[in-house]
Amino acid sequence: MLSVMFRFHVCAGEIFELKAELNSDKKEKKKEAVKKVIASMTVGKDVSALFPDVVNCMQTDNLELKKLVYLYLMNYAKSQPDMAIMAVNTFVKDCEDPNPLIRALAVRTMGCIRVDKITEYLCEPLRKCLKDEDPYVRKTAAVCVAKLHDINAQLVEDQGFLDTLKDLISDSNPMVVANAVAALSEIAESHPNSNLLDLNPQSINKLLTALNECTEWGQIFILDCLANYTPRDDRESQSICERVTPRLSHANSAVVLSAVKVLMKFMEMLPKDLDYYGTLLKKLAPPLVTLLSAEPELQYVALRNINLIVQKRPEILKHEMKVFFVKYNDPIYVKLEKLDIMIRLASQANIAQVLAELKEYATEVDVDFVRKAVRAIGRCAIKVEQSAERCVSTLLDLIQTKVNYVVQEAIVVIKDIFRKYPNKYESVIATLCENLDSLDEPEARAAMIWIVGEYAERIDNADELLESFLEGFHDESTQVQLQLLTAIVKLFLKKPTETQELVQQVLSLATQDSDNPDLRDRGYIYWRLLSTDPVAAKEVVLAEKPLISEETDLIEPTLLEELICHIGTLASVYHKPPSAFVEGSRGVMHKRLPAQGTESPDVGNVAGGSAPEAAPSIIPSQGDLLGDLLNLDLAPPTTTGPPPPTSGMQMGGMDLLGGGLDSLTFLLWYPQVWLPAMKAKGLEISGTFARRAGVIQMELVLTNKAMSVMTDFAIQFNRNSFGLAPAGPLQVLTPLGPNQTIEVSLPLSTVGPVMKMDPLNNLQVAVKNNIDVFYFSCQYPISMLFVEDGKMERQVFLATWKDIPNDNESQFQIQDCHLNSDAASNKLQGSNIFTIAKRTVEGQDMLYMAIKLSNGIWVLAELKMQAGNPNYTVSLGTRRDGEQHY
Amino acid sequence: MSASAVFVLDLKGKVLICRNYKGDVDMAEIDHFLPLLMTQEEEGLTCPIMSHGNVHFLWIKHTNLYLVATTNKNSNASLVYAFLYKVVEVFTEYFTELEEESIQDNFVVVYELLDELMDFGFPQTTDSKILQEYITQEGTKLEVSKTKVPTTVTNAVSWRSEGIKYKKNEVFIDVIESINLLVNANGNVMSSDIVGTVKLKTMLSGMPELRLGLNDRALFALTGRDKGKTVTMEDVKFHQCVRLSRFESDRTISFIPPDGESELMSYRINTHVKPLIWIESVIEKFSHSRVEILVKAKGQFKKQSVANNVEVRVPVPSDADSPKFKTSTGHAKYVPEKNLAVWTIKSFPGGKEFLMRASFGLPSVEKDEMEGKPPITVNFEIPYFTVSGIQVRYMKIIEKSGYQALPWVRYITQSGGRTAMLFRYSLLMYRERDPSFSHREKLFKIRTSIYPIVFLFCFLSFRLPTTE
């Protein structure tokens, strides 16, 4: 039929013809006309001019015709909002039709008409449908609430639909329950703080019951929802796991992955010595392996997730190496992922097999795959020491093939092997040197140059080799240039007599003829080192290098934990947190695995670093401002691993008293991306705060990721808690070209307008350039506000300390701090926390300290430490006058 | 949570039909899909997930169509792919073949189906049998009186309608097995497993309650019975009709079956499979002149059994010409479009050994590009023979009307689909003036063991006891 339609162009005449047909009395003719209209719409022709005529056809008892008209409405209502009102009456009527199919159809379509004006008319019909006797209508209405919420959230809340939706979770029909759960999860996702999915043991129980009865898709909704729940204790966790495990036998891969997500998360809470823990581990492996016989796209998703699971719990799949062997007809994306997992699973027990496989892969035709296979051999050598020799000989075999990209890849990994096992495999250097001329990729050239420089004393013609590279110095990439510079300096230090000319040549090339600041800097450093103190130069340049670690590309643990909570989703496929690629999700809670044996939710929150707004009970209610401050800055570092750098203030605490501070005289804050390029038309801003010589500095790194040049930068702050304001204009003098990065340091003053922010250390910033104005917010470490004149007289301290009302005092434990009192006090002094007094009581060292904030508030602290006990107790307090300030 | 919109595109990237479910992604974004895909294909690194700005495309390809889902949230990717494949399944059941033509010819039904399959990004009813009850191809059938309440859609049993009637109540059970096997060039079996499926063809009235008994080792261990040979199933996957929690607790497979044909379960068995036909091969390539292939096949199964329709597929270079074959039995032919030499033997008794020699000419000018080394594959079927030893011990059928029903079972072992086997071999390369060239008569013995794709066919159907 459509092929006929293709010849059918919508011109004025035809529209007229269709109009006539649509208004025809004959039902059949009408229907055919609507079909023609839809056909034109499908091929992308504009038939919106027929809106009134099509809507007129809406009142029909022919279901098929009705569906077509509804379809038309969905497409064009947005472009004709005024006329869409015409349809409202029919919708309302259809919602009371005796046929549930029509009732459901009406309520479903209604939600898809995203016209704000219509929504209020839809509330009554929706309310009825939510209580409809037919489950088919109810399940459709449940989804409609989510649709309506998307268009007009306030309306949905005012009308109480959310409560009705919550009631539907207890519906007798599993399909309705599933859709209600899906709708609630969807709404909750866009409103992270709404606490809609108030999950408690009762509701969890209901969900688990529905899980057994609803469709495969419903099971996924419910499992995904369950994954957001944090069980109270290990027993509850175990009972949920027990009821979720049967889902691992479901034929739908998506159900299996969602079940794996729930199990991986809840397993975290189970004690490892529990029998059930072991059983669960065993149960997880077979379904994961079976996922590899699904469709390739699903395999890909599964493999990306297995990659995470293997990093989190390597024991699950350690015996399953063979299933990750690559099949010749696997799509390339599956092959590359399998290879990655093979390396992760490689161990002494299976290395022989793995190597044989990798060698086989290295002779295939697919260039990317072959490269990765060669690289994998090198990684095996580094990972499994016993296999290093075999790996090296395999690599040498591969070099003999003379296949250009194989040779280059092999040389790159051999460099890494040399780093890991120095002075062991130098005999292969001769073979490597034979292939010098065929290297055309920067990475391979750089690797080769490094090898020549590192082992210059054993290569007779090292100077000639390096000299040959020097000829085209300016055409090389930076990587090669830097490597060449270092290698020649190494050579000079090893054989000073013959190579003086060479080293001078390279130094002048690097320092005088190069535009690259990195290269110039390095050149100057070498030059000065060599000219002032050759012995020191030797010590620096030829210093012993630290060994490289076995696992090079592990995902950072906190990110891994977050990704485990997102198994099956895009985040787990990209191996990026959702905030990195979903707009509007910044500030959304980062999901974390529950800590084992977490008894009280408060502790969990602090430990998770995920809920700064939930004030833990140790904070006195009265001094909320101070409470915030104390809580934020000195929350104890936990045993579950360092909190994510993005999650806020815990880092401050770490820096102050954890092992982090070392001997720095100013505080360096972890650089974060404040404004992603995606949100700011190509301008990416990241930065840190620091305090240098008594001045607070905001260190900004601006990167232009757009295609055009950016100029006219300016910056402004919103009012904030400590009155921070730029002390001068943003110094970006040169225009910022595409792909350029510039670092700017902006001194800050604390004399700006003051407004209390939540969280306290929040700072809202506006940056302007020639393109637009962009806004972002960031958080600064409170510690940068500690001023240098924070020393207090002992007597004053004592008096103040006594003055502090009990309510304004709070206590923490800081764990695992292996410092004695003097070292701690020295370190703290570096960050302007001054020790006023020290005394020793019953083997405990007590340090009394004072901090003065830039706005004049004093914070006093008492630090108790016991020799041999790495846990410190800190009591903090401030006098009332501090708060009267506000 | 899942897809924002679903598109069906032709190979040129033109939208054939689409459905916007959530309206949070601009529908025009789809224009970026094909250019992105083209760039990836040029680099030789395609990926089933692509992104443009903050829009993510999740896509699959089916015949001459792309099915693409777009999203800008952190969607459940596995759900989206599972859904897209389900869409293919449903459309295929509706239009027999899912391709450009069938979409264009049936756009009204496609719209209706898209409306019913997913709502606001949440997959809804995706069971084509149930959908066919209220979305039919001929619109006229669907007059007001006929459109009944689709109770099944929301029932706990969402896969079977009530009121089905058959004169003769029967169930056919097919046990189908295929084998994954990897043998390296030295003749070592690197990995092997069996993937089996149990398919049902149900022709039963009413709402019958079925129970299937297999010689499952875990079940026997649980009940403490020992009835001879048992099979350890590494992993089992069930159709949604099977009560999973029941299976988890006591390994009972109990279910209300969907009507007609369905896949009840699949399982994976990790046991080491003995290569039933052992194959050794010598493949010598003389650059610029010719390729010589020698293949020896040996039946390593019982003398009484016979393998039928054995097919040995040997890859040859793409620029080979003038084939010559000599076989001790069966016949061989060259399939140039697939770069294969195919040797077929109609009947291959156990314990016997056969040979094939083949030689091909090679052009004197060698082409530059490297060729891959696809594996050798073999197909065959052995009647009256089971690989895993799995057995259907009983099938209980209980229906409240109390009719008598007959279960029939047959075992088929086959390969194909996604289970592939890798058989590697070494290629002996000679160049002119190569020292080894003159010594080529000293044959290198290169063993390529080929585990064939097995076709076990049990031609007889067995009547099963209806009670334990």
Side-chain angles (χ1 to χ4, degrees):
Chain A
M1 173 186 287
L2 201 69
S3 46
V4 181
M5 295 309 151
F6 276 132
R7 274 179 267 126
F8 185 96
H9 296 281
V10 183
C11 57
E14 243 138 353
I15 292 276
F16 183 74
E17 212 170 283
L18 278 172
K19 236 184 172 73
E21 281 179 49
L22 284 170
N23 293 316
S24 154
D25 296 333
K26 287 181 192 144
K27 270 187 186 169
E28 267 317 294
K29 205 160 187 185
K30 240 183 192 177
K31 198 162 113 187
E32 283 312 307
V34 175
K35 274 192 187 175
K36 281 182 199 169
V37 172
I38 299 290
S40 304
M41 186 185 90
T42 307
V43 294
K45 288 174 188 164
D46 184 17
V47 282
S48 56
L50 293 166
F51 200 92
D53 308 279
V54 178
V55 172
N56 273 338
C57 302
M58 204 169 155
Q59 296 219 27
T60 170
D61 45 10
N62 182 316
L63 186 58
E64 199 191 355
L65 181 57
K66 200 177 269 292
K67 281 186 182 174
L68 290 174
V69 176
Y70 278 5
L71 190 64
Y72 181 91
L73 271 175
M74 271 189 265
N75 259 307
Y76 287 112
K78 195 132 204 203
S79 58
Q80 313 245 352
D82 294 326
M83 291 215 258
I85 305 268
M86 290 164 56
V88 166
N89 257 335
T90 323
F91 276 130
V92 175
K93 228 175 107 195
D94 280 353
C95 284
E96 290 173 8
D97 196 279
N99 186 340
L101 264 185
I102 292 185
R103 293 203 296 276
L105 182 67
V107 82
R108 185 164 60 213
T109 313
M110 254 164 36
C112 292
I113 297 179
R114 304 171 62 83
V115 176
D116 216 8
K117 275 185 193 167
I118 289 197
T119 46
E120 49 191 297
Y121 297 100
L122 303 184
C123 294
E124 277 323 298
L126 178 58
R127 200 187 313 282
K128 270 183 204 149
C129 287
L130 280 167
K131 302 237 157 77
D132 200 285
E133 48 170 27
D134 193 291
Y136 183 71
V137 181
R138 284 204 303 277
K139 73 145 189 159
T140 314
V143 176
C144 190
V145 176
K147 292 178 187 170
L148 204 58
H149 190 272
D150 199 32
I151 307 168
N152 191 341
Q154 197 54 47
L155 184 73
V156 170
E157 274 162 44
D158 296 345
Q159 297 279 332
F161 285 141
L162 292 180
D163 295 322
T164 324
L165 201 54
K166 280 186 207 162
D167 294 342
L168 285 182
I169 289 187
S170 318
D171 199 280
S172 57
N173 187 293
M175 190 88 173
V176 178
V177 177
N179 272 5
V181 169
L184 280 172
S185 311
E186 179 83 24
I187 296 171
E189 204 171 305
S190 49
H191 293 75
N193 299 325
S194 55
N195 199 23
L196 264 182
L197 277 165
D198 178 26
L199 294 175
N200 52 50
Q202 287 79 33
S203 60
I204 289 292
N205 198 30
K206 277 178 203 156
L207 293 182
L208 286 168
T209 314
L211 189 59
N212 286 326
E213 290 170 348
C214 60
T215 66
E216 43 196 328
W217 311 113
Q219 296 184 15
I220 300 172
F221 307 151
I222 293 177
L223 287 168
D224 283 356
C225 176
L226 277 179
N228 291 325
Y229 177 65
T230 308
R232 286 161 310 168
D233 50 32
D234 52 335
R235 206 170 306 150
E236 189 186 2
S237 180
Q238 179 178 346
S239 84
I240 295 176
C241 285
E242 277 166 359
R243 292 175 72 178
V244 167
T245 27
R247 298 300 120 196
L248 293 174
S249 301
H250 201 285
N252 188 325
S253 307
V255 177
V256 177
L257 265 181
S258 288
V260 169
K261 166 164 56 191
V262 175
L263 295 175
M264 282 295 289
K265 188 178 171 189
F266 289 6
M267 231 167 133
E268 204 67 18
M269 292 190 66
L270 299 178
K272 287 211 164 53
D273 46 358
L274 197 70
D275 284 348
Y276 181 72
Y277 179 82
T279 326
L280 197 55
L281 274 183
K282 268 190 217 126
K283 274 191 180 155
L284 274 170
L288 287 173
V289 171
T290 309
L291 285 175
L292 299 185
S293 42
E295 287 83 0
E297 290 82 6
L298 282 164
Q299 268 188 59
Y300 176 69
V301 176
L303 284 165
R304 292 292 284 175
N305 282 294
I306 288 173
N307 202 325
L308 299 173
I309 293 168
V310 165
Q311 289 182 54
K312 180 76 192 156
R313 300 193 178 278
E315 62 272 29
I316 294 178
L317 287 165
K318 65 178 174 204
H319 299 302
E320 304 287 350
M321 170 60 94
K322 282 179 177 177
V323 299
F324 297 103
F325 286 175
V326 172
K327 293 177 186 165
Y328 86 105
N329 51 1
D330 281 337
I332 179 73
Y333 51 84
V334 170
K335 284 184 179 177
L336 295 177
E337 281 313 307
K338 281 187 174 172
L339 208 51
D340 221 40
I341 295 169
M342 276 172 71
I343 302 164
R344 295 207 192 283
L345 290 177
S347 66
Q348 205 187 332
N350 55 24
I351 194 74
Q353 259 184 341
V354 174
L355 267 184
E357 279 292 309
L358 292 175
K359 201 177 170 186
E360 191 80 31
Y361 303 158
T363 62
E364 295 230 356
V365 275
D366 199 318
V367 177
D368 290 298
F369 179 57
V370 171
R371 281 172 180 279
K372 192 151 186 183
V374 176
R375 212 162 264 234
I377 297 176
R379 276 170 65 187
C380 285
I382 291 164
K383 192 170 174 199
V384 187
E385 189 165 355
Q386 294 81 356
S387 75
E389 197 155 344
R390 288 169 68 176
C391 294
V392 170
S393 78
T394 311
L395 287 170
L396 281 181
D397 287 351
L398 289 171
I399 289 177
Q400 301 299 352
T401 62
K402 305 270 177 206
V403 179
N404 187 282
Y405 53 85
V406 174
V407 174
Q408 309 212 34
E409 251 352 282
I411 286 180
V412 173
V413 292
I414 286 180
K415 181 203 78 177
D416 289 342
I417 296 176
F418 282 168
R419 281 294 304 277
K420 171 81 184 182
Y421 310 109
N423 304 320
K424 212 167 166 191
Y425 300 108
E426 281 68 42
S427 52
V428 307
I429 292 177
T431 325
L432 301 184
C433 290
E434 286 167 23
N435 294 288
L436 217 57
D437 301 333
S438 63
L439 306 179
D440 52 13
E441 288 161 24
E443 204 182 352
R445 288 174 81 87
M448 191 66 221
I449 293 169
W450 183 86
I451 292 172
V452 174
E454 188 67 18
Y455 296 99
E457 68 272 28
R458 316 210 192 158
I459 305 172
D460 294 337
N461 59 344
D463 48 343
E464 287 169 35
L465 293 176
L466 292 175
E467 201 172 356
S468 68
F469 281 106
L470 206 54
E471 282 160 18
F473 189 76
H474 288 299
D475 303 328
E476 301 281 5
S477 72
T478 313
Q479 192 184 11
V480 180
Q481 289 175 333
L482 286 171
Q483 214 45 271
L484 195 52
L485 174 62
T486 309
I488 291 179
V489 172
K490 279 182 192 164
L491 174 70
F492 172 72
L493 290 170
K494 286 171 179 175
K495 300 177 179 174
T497 46
E498 310 107 271
T499 54
Q500 211 149 16
E501 213 171 292
L502 196 62
V503 82
Q504 260 159 12
Q505 208 183 336
V506 79
L507 286 175
S508 79
L509 278 173
T511 52
Q512 285 158 24
D513 302 339
S514 173
D515 299 333
N516 186 322
D518 286 346
L519 189 62
R520 268 200 322 261
D521 283 359
R522 198 186 283 194
Y524 279 125
I525 289 170
Y526 284 146
W527 203 325
R528 281 185 199 140
L529 264 174
L530 291 173
S531 55
T532 52
D533 190 355
V535 181
K538 209 159 187 164
E539 270 167 26
V540 171
V541 180
L542 302 180
E544 197 125 318
K545 277 164 264 316
L547 293 184
I548 55 175
S549 70
E550 293 170 11
E551 301 276 0
T552 41
D553 55 348
L554 286 181
I555 294 176
E556 191 256 332
T558 44
L559 177 60
L560 183 63
E561 288 200 0
E562 190 180 348
L563 292 179
I564 290 283
C565 298
H566 288 291
I567 281 179
T569 67
L570 286 180
S572 73
V573 176
Y574 289 135
H575 289 186
K576 283 180 195 164
S579 55
F581 60 89
V582 179
E583 222 168 286
S585 67
R586 306 207 126 249
V588 171
M589 284 219 292
H590 288 267
K591 291 191 184 178
R592 290 287 303 266
L593 293 176
Q596 191 199 322
T598 309
E599 293 298 338
S600 100
D602 282 342
V603 176
N605 275 340
V606 175
S610 57
E613 72 279 0
S617 51
I618 46 170
I619 301 300
S621 55
Q622 176 188 11
D624 67 329
L625 160 67
L626 182 74
D628 277 356
L629 192 156
L630 301 181
N631 168 39
L632 287 173
D633 216 15
L634 282 158
T638 58
T639 47
T640 48
T646 47
S647 80
M649 297 309 295
Q650 271 73 15
M651 286 301 285
M654 292 281 289
D655 274 353
L656 286 172
L657 268 169
L661 191 65
D662 297 334
S663 58
L664 297 180
T665 51
F666 52 87
L667 259 178
L668 253 192
W669 185 243
Y670 225 88
Q672 303 174 6
V673 176
W674 285 330
L675 184 67
M678 219 160 62
K679 284 174 79 175
K681 303 184 178 158
L683 177 67
E684 186 183 284
I685 300 182
S686 59
T688 71
F689 289 95
R691 187 181 182 91
R692 288 200 183 92
V695 181
I696 302 168
Q697 304 262 13
M698 185 181 195
E699 311 272 7
L700 292 159
V701 180
L702 310 175
T703 308
N704 180 358
K705 296 201 168 168
M707 302 305 289
S708 56
V709 175
M710 295 180 179
T711 53
D712 307 319
F713 286 95
I715 193 164
Q716 229 172 4
F717 293 175
N718 196 357
R719 289 191 293 167
N720 54 67
S721 321
F722 291 92
L724 286 173
L730 193 61
Q731 299 283 330
V732 187
L733 299 173
T734 45
L736 193 57
N739 272 329
Q740 262 188 342
T741 298
I742 189 167
E743 286 177 34
V744 201
S745 180
L746 180 73
L748 304 183
S749 66
T750 51
V751 293
V754 173
M755 181 175 81
K756 197 200 157 205
M757 302 293 290
D758 186 30
L760 198 66
N761 57 342
N762 200 18
L763 181 63
Q764 293 174 337
V765 184
V767 170
K768 182 183 89 76
N769 64 7
N770 59 330
I771 298 168
D772 207 338
V773 183
F774 308 108
Y775 302 92
F776 62 89
S777 66
C778 53
Q779 298 182 347
Y780 47 87
I782 298 285
S783 51
M784 77 176 189
L785 297 165
F786 300 169
V787 293
E788 275 78 358
D789 60 347
K791 276 208 166 130
M792 211 181 218
E793 285 296 325
R794 277 183 178 223
Q795 278 74 23
V796 183
F797 181 92
L798 214 63
T800 323
W801 185 255
K802 282 185 182 153
D803 244 352
I804 295 173
N806 276 344
D807 286 350
N808 278 7
E809 203 180 318
S810 59
Q811 269 202 8
F812 315 85
Q813 291 275 337
I814 295 178
Q815 282 159 357
D816 277 314
C817 218
H818 297 278
L819 291 172
N820 65 29
S821 57
D822 289 337
S825 116
N826 276 340
K827 264 193 184 183
L828 290 170
Q829 182 140 7
S831 23
N832 297 335
I833 301 175
F834 297 91
T835 307
I836 308 298
K838 180 186 164 185
R839 75 195 163 117
T840 309
V841 185
E842 299 162 0
Q844 284 189 332
D845 278 346
M846 315 276 270
L847 291 179
Y848 290 95
M849 291 178 287
I851 304 162
K852 188 183 172 195
L853 291 173
S854 59
N855 56 4
I857 295 184
W858 287 92
V859 180
L860 307 182
E862 177 198 55
L863 189 67
K864 266 188 225 170
M865 44 182 112
Q866 211 161 7
N869 184 353
N871 298 345
Y872 295 2
T873 307
V874 184
S875 310
L876 281 172
T878 186
R879 230 169 28 170
R880 264 189 170 270
D881 66 355
E883 284 155 74
Q884 279 156 7
H885 215 86
Y886 287 95
Chain B
M1 179 158 202
S2 139
S4 169
V6 171
F7 298 82
V8 181
L9 308 182
D10 67 4
L11 290 183
K12 293 191 202 88
K14 197 184 81 189
V15 179
L16 294 176
I17 210 158
C18 60
R19 175 67 207 256
N20 190 353
Y21 287 110
K22 294 183 75 173
D24 55 355
V25 176
D26 186 1
M27 294 298 272
E29 285 285 345
I30 195 68
D31 296 340
H32 299 295
F33 172 75
L34 205 73
L36 273 174
L37 185 62
M38 302 283 269
T39 332
Q40 287 202 342
E41 270 171 3
E42 269 164 38
E43 289 163 5
L45 276 174
T46 52
C47 181
I49 298 180
M50 302 189 295
S51 55
H52 180 268
N54 58 356
V55 180
H56 310 277
F57 301 101
L58 291 82
W59 62 279
I60 63 170
K61 197 181 166 188
H62 181 83
T63 58
N64 53 3
L65 300 174
Y66 293 114
L67 279 86
V68 188
T70 55
T71 176
N72 60 0
K73 298 263 156 61
N74 181 26
S75 304
N76 186 330
S78 50
L79 176 136
V80 174
Y81 288 120
F83 175 74
L84 290 178
Y85 275 102
K86 203 77 194 182
V87 170
V88 171
E89 196 184 310
V90 170
F91 284 2
T92 313
E93 297 237 347
Y94 262 84
F95 316 127
T96 340
E97 203 117 316
L98 172 59
E99 46 170 30
E100 207 177 320
E101 286 267 288
S102 50
I103 293 281
Q104 285 173 345
D105 292 349
N106 298 292
F107 72 98
V108 174
V109 183
V110 172
Y111 274 130
E112 279 191 45
L113 285 174
L114 286 176
D115 199 33
E116 203 63 47
L117 286 167
M118 188 178 251
D119 193 10
F120 203 55
F122 308 126
Q124 299 292 311
T125 312
T126 54
D127 194 307
S128 63
K129 283 194 200 76
I130 303 306
L131 286 168
Q132 269 163 355
E133 283 180 24
Y134 65 107
I135 297 177
T136 51
Q137 300 237 36
E138 294 91 49
T140 43
K141 267 193 189 170
L142 246 173
E143 283 316 321
V144 200
S145 55
K146 288 276 281 179
T147 49
K148 272 184 271 165
V149 188
T151 49
T152 342
V153 177
T154 49
N155 266 352
V157 182
S158 65
W159 53 88
R160 187 182 177 93
S161 305
E162 280 172 37
I164 296 170
K165 279 210 173 68
Y166 284 98
K167 268 189 188 160
K168 193 174 176 187
N169 289 301
E170 290 177 304
V171 191
F172 297 91
I173 307 158
D174 282 348
V175 182
I176 300 161
E177 288 189 342
S178 48
I179 298 156
N180 266 322
L181 205 112
L182 167 64
V183 181
N184 70 4
N186 302 324
N188 297 325
V189 178
M190 301 293 285
S191 67
S192 71
D193 60 43
I194 302 167
V195 177
T197 52
V198 177
K199 292 196 174 176
L200 290 186
K201 190 177 179 190
T202 321
M203 299 162 79
L204 296 172
S205 314
M207 277 290 184
E209 178 71 51
L210 269 58
R211 256 169 69 193
L212 176 72
L214 300 171
N215 56 341
D216 171 15
R217 175 162 298 161
L219 171 67
F220 283 21
L222 220 66
T223 52
R225 278 181 302 178
D226 185 16
K227 283 193 185 171
K229 197 173 180 252
T230 55
V231 171
T232 312
M233 291 187 283
E234 182 75 11
D235 186 33
V236 197
K237 291 273 175 287
F238 289 108
H239 185 273
Q240 54 166 323
C241 67
V242 177
R243 297 184 181 91
L244 295 180
S245 357
R246 180 96 194 266
F247 179 77
E248 180 77 12
S249 61
D250 59 8
R251 300 287 283 193
T252 310
I253 304 169
S254 76
F255 55 98
I256 296 170
D259 191 44
E261 289 179 34
S262 59
E263 188 180 310
L264 180 70
M265 63 181 280
S266 65
Y267 54 87
R268 202 161 45 79
I269 296 174
N270 258 359
T271 48
H272 190 89
V273 186
K274 181 184 151 213
L276 294 174
I277 290 189
W278 183 262
I279 286 188
E280 293 172 6
S281 76
V282 184
I283 302 177
E284 294 171 289
K285 187 172 171 184
F286 302 95
S287 276
H288 315 305
S289 112
R290 66 191 188 281
V291 179
E292 294 198 348
I293 297 166
L294 175 69
V295 177
K296 185 174 84 178
K298 189 180 174 195
Q300 292 190 335
F301 45 91
K302 283 183 290 187
K303 288 223 168 64
Q304 305 92 301
S305 299
V306 176
N308 292 333
N309 300 328
V310 179
E311 203 176 70
V312 184
R313 295 155 167 261
V314 188
V316 295
S318 62
D319 50 358
D321 55 41
S322 49
K324 288 192 200 95
F325 295 106
K326 222 167 126 187
T327 56
S328 59
T329 188
H331 73 278
K333 64 172 188 225
Y334 175 41
V335 188
E337 65 272 21
K338 288 180 181 163
N339 301 323
L340 285 177
V342 180
W343 176 26
T344 33
I345 305 162
K346 281 267 168 268
S347 149
F348 195 136
K352 284 275 160 56
E353 222 178 88
F354 298 114
L355 280 175
M356 178 197 65
R357 270 174 196 285
S359 79
F360 292 85
L362 287 177
S364 53
V365 184
E366 212 170 322
K367 55 172 186 166
D368 287 338
E369 68 215 64
M370 288 239 302
E371 271 183 37
K373 239 171 53 176
I376 305 175
T377 47
V378 179
N379 302 349
F380 68 88
E381 1 171 300
I382 305 176
Y384 318 116
F385 196 89
T386 38
V387 184
S388 69
I390 195 139
Q391 275 181 326
V392 177
R393 302 190 66 89
Y394 65 86
M395 169 72 101
K396 259 190 185 173
I397 302 163
I398 302 159
E399 216 279 333
K400 53 176 185 283
S401 67
Y403 57 72
Q404 281 294 310
L406 303 177
W408 304 92
V409 67
R410 56 180 182 173
Y411 302 94
I412 310 162
T413 306
Q414 64 182 33
S415 92
R418 261 166 270 115
T419 56
M421 290 183 274
L422 277 161
F423 312 113
R424 304 202 183 117
Y425 54 89
S426 334
L427 194 60
L428 291 181
M429 305 274 279
Y430 300 103
R431 284 161 205 271
E432 259 105 345
R433 273 177 253 110
D434 208 343
S436 56
F437 188 67
S438 51
H439 302 297
R440 68 166 195 85
E441 291 311 319
K442 287 184 208 160
L443 263 189
F444 283 74
K445 195 78 173 158
I446 297 198
R447 297 182 355 154
T448 310
S449 65
I450 294 160
Y451 189 79
I453 292 174
V454 193
F455 251 86
L456 294 185
F457 238 101
C458 207
F459 291 111
L460 290 181
S461 289
F462 302 102
R463 187 70 213 282
L464 277 172
T466 45
T467 50
E468 281 177 85

